[in-house]
Amino acid sequence: MKAWDAIVIGGGHNGLVNACYLQRAGLDVLVVEKNDWVGGAATSRELTPGFLYSNCSYVCSLFRPEIMRDLELPRFGLQVISYDGGAVFTRDGDYLANYRDHDAHRREFARFSRRDAEAYDRYSRDVTRQCRFIQPLLMRTAPDPTSFKPRDLGELLFLGKKFAGLTAEEMALTLRFWTMSISDFLDEYFETDVIKANFALSGIIGTALGPMSPGTAYVLLHHYMGEVDGSVGAWGYARGGMGAVTKALAASFRASGGTIRTGAEVDHVLVRNGRAKGVVLAGGEEIYGKLVISNADVKRTFLKLVEERELPDIFLRRVRNFKIRGSSGKVNIALDSLPEFPALPKDSPVYRADMHFTDSIERMERAYDDWKAGRWSADPFLDMMIPTTLDPTMAPPGKHFMSCFVQYAPPKIDGRDWTDADRDGFAESVIAQIAAYSPGFRDRIVHMEVRTPREIEAEVGLTEGNIFQGELTFDQLLFNRPVPGYAQYRSPVGGLYMCGSSTHPGGGVMGAPGRNAAAEILRDLAKPTSHMSPAHDVI
Amino acid sequence: MAQATRKKPIASEVDTALEARLAAQPHFRTLRLGTPFQPRIDALGLKQDWYSWAGYRAPHSLWDEELEYFAIRSQAALFDISPMTKYRIEGPGAEAYLDRVTLRDVTRLQPGRVHYTAWCDDDGFVLDDGTLFRLSPTRFRLCSQERHLPWLLDSAIGYEVSIEEETEAVAGLALQGPTSFAILRDAGFAGVERLKVFDLAEFAHDGATVTISRTGFTGDLGYELFVPADKALSLWDRLMMAGELRGIRAIGYTALNRARLEAGLIVANADFTTSEHAIRADRLRMPDEIGLGFLVDPEKGHFNGRRAIFEARTKKKLRHVLVGLEIEGNIPAEHAIVYYRKSQEVGLVSAAMWSPMAKRNIAIASLQRPYGDTIVDDLWVEIYAMRELQYQKLMKKAKVVQRPFIKLDRRTASPPADF
Ligand SMILES: Cc1cc2nc3c(=O)[nH]c(=O)nc-3n(C[C@H](O)[C@H](O)[C@H](O)COP(=O)(O)OP(=O)(O)OC[C@H]3O[C@@H](n4cnc5c(N)ncnc54)[C@H](O)[C@@H]3O)c2cc1C
């Protein structure tokens, strides 16, 4: 029977990136995806006629341009378009906008506080400095600090040099930054509630932490280190929704001779004598492969797809304890017309950007309190946008797709599973919040897709619905991601690799885990990697 | 939905604050603001050649950048400096406060005087340079390129002083050139002849007050005028009318920039990177590294950055030096790399031009010590001059020279000459 050179479990964007690079290196690669479509958390689906949703992820910045280039994604239809800065609505009928123009940005902040308006330069300098430190680490395998192999020593040295390039003070600042809370970090620059809330949102998105929890400053960085065509920190829409990313990847993969099987759920990995030999599908079909690479998160991979007895004790324990707590949901809405926000002038660029209603850190933290208590937030934090104001491909003219990312939503309600009634209650908390700022909003709704962690886990396979395949806290980053000793995409089982967001450098539609894993696999096979661009310079 | 209940301000206060905020919303429709002088400048801006100066629509040039430059040197030039950042610093503790945050000795700055100064962060790196006007014993105006309100406010803790940003409220004009004095006198500012360089005085204008100082950025005879924004146009008209027979012309930044280079003056974030903008740690500069060491007063008490600056001096940790260069030939060396012995890179030119007044090819450059400091011979600049889509590469000898590149007696003559 045929044995593939490599079988990739999961057609999420990282699985596809990985598969593309391996196929282009001359391997015969099969991707098996449980859903009838590819994309994982980067997918666009038409659930009601004429409307395309970005069902999970909805904005693009982290996806590495080196990968787009190597895999010729523009040729396969990928286009990422920048959008304007967004706004936070305030409860007194005003809003705070973020304009792209530096001086308009300052004048906008000055409406609330002249002092804070002038604090922005220093803030942005300091965040940029941190970004420049982390960026070069994204497209490299994290070193194994316990290994004395020359390459690991080299990488450690590289990391050390990056550190040594910093002054003693900067070094201290970096360590502090990686472990402090976004709220404390912002307090060093700003005084105004709404201005702090405006920046804090990047520190909590996707994480089961509140703005006052240590570690959230790093999460902010994770959302700043991307770019749109060299404009660092900028975010854009993928034309056609985030599914356009994986559609292009799938097309690139097929064009280079790769094979994708959808509707093919892996039940478990075939392991013989400590080596992966292939996969067994849910229906019992066995597929053989010389290598198996899992795009699923580390918990799903090692607690569901591999038998316990194949794994070392300490590894298993760490995988079990890996923090992968769900914290968010998503409501996708088809609208028959553009909603109005009386607080916002009709010609405001904010309509084409992200909108939020949480105007203080305090409110964010209260929303998080609900999560801790095992409830969805009564007053949730929304990251809401209407991509169809810039992307004409997602809805008929004059009609709109609205994407609402929602926090907080716990993986379980009061310790039990979500019910349909819970899901409806969750959706209502979202709609009520929007309607409070947009009269007549309910009447515009044509269709709605509501996704709690239950739906996200069931469909995308993200354990607990955690969007990053594991919390982005310092104890789970770099050479500790996903667990110590296994940060280099290999696993305790021979020939079984990991390539999903659970691995370094983590979640988001970035592609770096998939690419870095491919580099490691090709190294093990002693195959050239000349088709992989090195990371762009950070100068 | 819950209302904000943190502290309970009086309802009417909340209303006016909110009203002011709402009223300011539409600014997003005008990405480049006009200054209070804009109607006059727009009418003269035949070239429509604008740039953004701190978010204001400012002219590169109005009608001819060469002729605008010669207006500064031969007649009088009117240049709108309203976008400059201005802070009003007032209170019984203002002197002590400013002495604490800036490099020079503010206790020696008399009311009615202005001095050029700079200020540093705690590590001794320059935040900005600017001018400090002492309007009264307890009232100052600080003018600068960048914005510093958080830093100024945070530094004020413990001082009896209030700090207010007044950039928009106060309009500013520079009137520079040999006939500038005569114009002010003819415009009826009686007593203006008594102003010596760096003096200031208040004069009546249109029911308000205009502050006139004998200061400027051109190395020429010249004055700067500050007036409440709503009196800006009448001031402009008053000067233009008085200056009609004395060749007054409005100018843009390109002309001014030439004059300032001849005067050897530096521009923040053009000739050095200010510390709040420096993303790369090696771009930070101490005063001694950008030619501002002379502002540091070792005699006065503690000031921001003092410890670091003196430590760098004693431990010889200063890594850069800013110098004036005279370059052979006449091709401007803008942004050229500076070499030692034609091969070793030792620095960069930040501004360069052929000086009509000095008849020399001049430049300001930042060099890595000891070059430009103890080693000043055998320095070269490599000029890439693009001519009809080809680089003409020139390796030209550069000599370190004193700044200013030109010294005009009329700048300091007292009483000022009546041209
Ligand atoms: C609601 C939501 C919003 C988000 N918003 C953004 C955003 O705006 N921008 C951004 O950059 N990031 C965002 N993210 C995060 C980002 O989408 C994910 O981190 C990223 O897409 C994960 O990609 P991946 O390839 O590592 O894994 P996944 O996308 O999780 O892919 C794993 C794939 O494996 C498949 N699979 C799992 N188990 C099996 C099995 N047994 N057999 C076969 N196939 C299997 C799954 O179906 C899935 O296709 C969001 C995530 C979510 C959930």
Side-chain angles (χ1 to χ4, degrees):
Chain A
M1 208 179 157
K2 169 169 181 160
W4 298 83
D5 289 334
I7 300 172
V8 178
I9 306 174
H13 83 286
N14 277 316
L16 291 169
V17 165
N18 186 267
C20 282
Y21 277 116
L22 296 182
Q23 184 75 33
R24 280 169 185 248
L27 273 61
D28 196 9
V29 184
L30 171 72
V31 173
V32 281
E33 164 58 50
K34 75 176 173 57
N35 290 322
D36 294 334
W37 57 89
V38 296
T43 181
S44 308
R45 299 178 62 211
E46 183 173 339
L47 297 180
T48 187
F51 291 87
L52 209 52
Y53 291 161
S54 278
N55 304 76
C56 288
S57 60
Y58 48 104
V59 282
C60 187
S61 168
L62 303 172
F63 198 43
R64 297 308 309 161
E66 299 91 335
I67 299 174
M68 298 193 214
R69 187 203 107 118
D70 285 349
L71 304 181
E72 303 173 273
L73 301 187
R75 174 154 86 89
F76 295 103
L78 179 62
Q79 224 182 303
V80 180
I81 32 185
S82 276
Y83 59 82
D84 222 293
V88 183
F89 288 88
T90 57
R91 278 164 292 176
D92 60 13
D94 196 359
Y95 60 85
L96 171 83
N98 294 285
Y99 297 117
R100 283 167 65 91
D101 181 83
H102 182 265
D103 294 292
H105 194 269
R106 172 174 49 73
R107 287 197 288 263
E108 177 69 2
F109 277 41
R111 292 203 298 120
F112 292 82
S113 158
R114 281 173 183 258
R115 182 200 181 281
D116 286 1
E118 298 193 11
Y120 178 70
D121 284 347
R122 194 163 67 89
Y123 167 79
S124 114
R125 175 199 68 181
D126 289 353
V127 175
T128 308
R129 282 184 181 172
Q130 296 299 331
C131 276
R132 292 169 54 81
F133 179 74
I134 181 101
Q135 266 186 324
L137 307 178
L138 300 180
M139 299 268 283
R140 308 175 77 104
T141 298
D144 178 352
T146 62
S147 143
F148 290 99
K149 289 198 203 107
R151 193 168 63 89
D152 285 303
L153 290 178
E155 281 300 307
L156 263 183
L157 210 66
F158 176 80
L159 200 69
K161 266 205 201 116
K162 294 273 330 156
F163 249 109
L166 306 177
T167 63
E169 198 196 9
E170 284 177 311
M171 213 179 288
L173 276 177
T174 296
L175 280 178
R176 185 157 171 268
F177 184 85
W178 281 46
T179 49
M180 81 195 293
S181 81
I182 185 62
S183 172
D184 287 343
F185 179 65
L186 291 167
D187 279 344
E188 300 198 345
Y189 301 88
F190 304 110
E191 286 179 354
T192 315
D193 272 353
V194 61
I195 288 177
K196 285 192 264 187
N198 175 66
F199 291 114
L201 56 95
S202 300
I204 58 162
I205 283 194
T207 165
L209 297 169
M212 297 178 183
S213 315
T216 42
Y218 173 78
V219 179
L220 169 112
L221 193 59
H222 201 84
H223 288 99
Y224 263 69
M225 65 197 185
E227 62 179 281
V228 176
D229 296 314
S231 165
V232 174
W235 283 82
Y237 293 125
R239 199 165 185 269
M242 285 301 268
V245 172
T246 45
K247 215 168 126 186
L249 281 168
S252 170
F253 178 56
R254 289 199 178 98
S256 60
T259 311
I260 300 176
R261 272 184 67 177
T262 53
E265 174 164 6
V266 171
D267 182 73
H268 63 274
V269 178
L270 265 179
V271 181
R272 293 221 185 99
N273 302 327
R275 262 200 86 79
K277 295 290 175 196
V279 297
V280 181
L281 298 189
E285 182 187 342
E286 296 192 355
I287 308 176
Y288 302 102
K290 294 173 194 151
L291 303 174
V292 176
I293 302 120
S294 176
N295 177 199
D297 66 60
V298 64
K299 279 206 164 159
R300 183 157 304 269
T301 304
F302 294 102
L303 303 182
K304 297 234 163 85
L305 303 183
V306 177
E307 284 192 61
E308 263 183 37
R309 57 157 196 256
E310 305 291 347
L311 300 168
D313 221 36
I314 176 80
F315 175 81
L316 258 181
R317 195 159 355 116
R318 283 181 169 157
V319 169
R320 281 200 195 101
N321 292 340
F322 183 67
K323 280 182 297 175
I324 189 162
R325 305 169 302 182
S327 62
S328 11
K330 183 93 195 286
V331 179
N332 297 310
I333 309 171
L335 298 166
D336 73 358
S337 54
L338 187 68
E340 281 173 24
F341 295 88
L344 206 60
K346 282 198 164 54
D347 57 343
S348 170
V350 168
Y351 280 99
R352 298 183 293 278
D354 44 316
M355 300 183 223
H356 314 93
F357 305 105
T358 309
D359 58 359
S360 74
I361 297 228
E362 175 84 23
R363 265 175 87 190
M364 277 179 196
E365 188 69 18
R366 293 288 88 87
Y368 177 51
D369 288 344
D370 287 334
W371 180 90
K372 283 181 274 184
R375 303 183 293 261
W376 65 85
S377 305
D379 178 19
F381 160 76
L382 300 193
D383 186 30
M384 181 183 93
M385 39 186 62
I386 312 174
T388 40
T389 51
L390 286 176
D391 180 354
T393 68
M394 300 186 79
K399 307 206 185 295
H400 290 279
F401 156 54
M402 177 187 267
S403 163
C404 301
F405 182 85
V406 190
Q407 256 173 244
Y408 292 81
K412 289 203 185 291
I413 298 297
D414 285 334
R416 57 160 173 83
D417 289 335
W418 282 77
T419 63
D420 288 353
D422 294 331
R423 182 197 57 205
D424 295 346
F426 164 79
E428 176 52 28
S429 73
V430 174
I431 303 300
Q433 192 182 70
I434 302 171
Y437 293 84
S438 182
F441 179 75
R442 288 172 195 273
D443 301 334
R444 300 179 202 270
I445 301 175
V446 179
H447 175 268
M448 203 157 78
E449 179 194 22
V450 184
R451 331 195 78 192
T452 70
R454 175 182 68 162
E455 283 78 21
I456 294 174
E457 167 150 16
E459 182 193 297
V460 189
L462 290 165
T463 301
E464 294 197 17
N466 183 295
I467 78 164
F468 295 131
Q469 288 198 355
E471 209 84 270
L472 297 174
T473 46
F474 199 38
D475 56 330
Q476 302 193 156
L477 288 174
L478 280 168
F479 39 71
N480 290 324
R481 191 170 184 89
V483 296
Y486 295 93
Q488 303 186 323
Y489 310 98
R490 296 173 185 82
S491 79
V493 178
L496 177 60
Y497 295 81
M498 312 172 241
C499 76
S501 298
S502 287
T503 60
H504 170 76
V509 179
M510 178 151 45
R515 176 213 175 263
N516 295 350
E520 290 303 317
I521 292 164
L522 293 174
R523 184 169 284 119
D524 286 353
L525 298 175
K527 295 247 180 205
T529 53
S530 51
H531 61 308
M532 308 180 77
S533 294
H536 285 166
D537 295 330
V538 176
I539 56 167
Chain B
M1 203 164 285
Q3 288 297 313
T5 50
R6 235 167 27 99
K7 53 183 173 190
K8 265 244 174 279
I10 310 150
S12 64
E13 259 177 41
V14 175
D15 288 351
T16 38
L18 176 61
E19 263 169 42
R21 256 198 278 136
L22 295 177
Q25 275 183 0
H27 72 86
F28 72 87
R29 298 196 182 105
T30 318
L31 290 183
R32 296 291 163 259
L33 296 183
T35 76
F37 299 108
Q38 208 69 37
R40 300 296 181 269
I41 292 170
D42 281 349
L44 297 169
L46 309 185
K47 285 171 85 171
Q48 299 282 329
D49 181 10
W50 311 110
Y51 73 106
S52 171
W53 179 2
Y56 287 88
R57 187 168 82 251
H60 269 131
S61 159
L62 292 168
W63 87 100
D64 184 317
E65 57 192 46
E66 300 273 317
L67 303 188
E68 288 168 37
Y69 162 81
F70 285 110
I72 304 175
R73 295 296 183 218
S74 165
Q75 310 129 48
L78 202 51
F79 180 72
D80 179 3
I81 53 173
S82 305
M84 208 165 48
T85 308
K86 305 171 210 85
Y87 297 102
R88 181 193 174 102
I89 297 167
E90 192 168 10
E95 179 190 271
Y97 162 72
L98 284 162
D99 201 48
R100 170 74 168 71
V101 294
T102 63
L103 295 181
R104 290 181 73 173
D105 188 346
V106 180
T107 63
R108 285 164 50 192
L109 179 67
Q110 298 298 316
R113 292 285 291 169
V114 184
H115 71 202
Y116 171 63
T117 187
W119 46 103
C120 296
D121 63 19
D122 294 340
D123 300 319
F125 296 119
V126 178
L127 282 159
D128 212 344
D129 62 346
T131 40
L132 182 64
F133 295 71
R134 187 159 197 174
L135 303 168
S136 83
T138 55
R139 192 155 61 88
F140 293 82
R141 174 177 294 138
L142 184 65
C143 294
S144 62
Q145 183 69 21
E146 300 300 338
R147 292 177 170 263
H148 306 282
L149 195 54
W151 182 77
L152 289 172
L153 288 172
D154 293 350
S155 307
I157 294 166
Y159 290 93
E160 235 183 297
V161 64
S162 73
I163 296 148
E164 218 178 294
E165 191 259 324
E166 56 175 14
T167 305
E168 277 176 46
V170 178
L173 277 179
L175 178 68
Q176 303 280 308
T179 64
S180 55
F181 159 67
I183 292 171
L184 289 177
R185 183 200 54 204
D186 293 356
F189 294 110
V192 77
E193 68 280 357
R194 285 197 293 275
L195 293 182
K196 298 198 184 67
V197 174
F198 289 118
D199 277 351
L200 71 81
E202 295 193 336
F203 298 84
H205 171 71
D206 195 7
T209 320
V210 53
T211 305
I212 303 183
S213 55
R214 189 165 162 189
T215 50
F217 210 52
T218 58
D220 218 309
L221 172 63
Y223 299 84
E224 288 172 319
L225 299 86
F226 293 96
V227 68
D230 61 334
K231 305 293 182 193
L233 292 179
S234 62
L235 179 65
W236 178 282
D237 295 341
R238 185 171 170 183
L239 296 175
M240 276 300 197
M241 202 128 59
E244 205 184 336
L245 301 179
R246 295 180 184 272
I248 191 170
R249 301 300 302 259
I251 63 159
Y253 183 69
T254 308
L256 183 87
N257 193 37
R258 292 185 191 184
R260 75 91 185 173
L261 180 51
E262 286 184 315
L265 300 167
I266 57 171
V267 174
N269 287 321
D271 296 298
F272 71 97
T273 305
T274 57
S275 90
E276 289 206 335
H277 288 87
I279 289 163
R280 297 156 188 83
D282 62 349
R283 307 304 203 268
L284 297 162
R285 292 290 182 273
M286 289 197 166
D288 300 80
E289 297 179 297
I290 55 171
L292 299 186
F294 73 95
L295 297 176
V296 178
D297 190 334
E299 307 302 318
K300 75 176 220 179
H302 189 68
F303 59 91
N304 252 58
R306 184 181 208 276
R307 200 179 311 116
I309 292 169
F310 286 110
E311 188 186 296
R313 282 183 178 180
T314 44
K315 295 197 177 158
K316 305 239 176 298
K317 286 203 299 190
L318 297 162
R319 297 181 48 232
H320 301 90
V321 62
L322 184 139
V323 295
L325 292 181
E326 203 180 298
I327 296 162
E328 64 176 323
N330 67 346
I331 313 291
E334 185 104 66
H335 294 136
I337 292 177
V338 183
Y339 292 91
Y340 176 59
R341 296 194 169 149
K342 296 192 187 177
S343 58
Q344 185 187 343
E345 251 184 62
V346 296
L348 181 86
V349 170
S350 54
M353 69 182 285
W354 167 260
S355 161
M357 293 297 279
K359 297 294 180 237
R360 282 183 171 85
N361 198 20
I362 61 171
I364 288 176
S366 284
L367 306 185
Q368 280 123 44
R369 292 172 192 245
Y371 304 99
D373 180 23
T374 50
I375 303 178
V376 292
D377 290 330
D378 220 349
L379 294 177
W380 300 79
V381 296
E382 187 172 40
I383 303 171
Y384 277 63
M386 174 79 86
R387 294 292 181 274
E388 296 175 330
L389 291 183
Q390 266 187 40
Y391 274 125
Q392 315 273 310
K393 281 200 282 177
L394 310 168
M395 188 62 94
K396 292 289 181 188
K397 191 145 184 66
K399 196 170 94 188
V400 174
V401 297
Q402 287 297 310
R403 289 175 295 139
F405 298 99
I406 60 160
K407 238 182 174 150
L408 300 171
D409 291 339
R410 62 186 182 232
R411 172 174 170 264
T412 47
S414 189
D418 175 13
F419 285 94

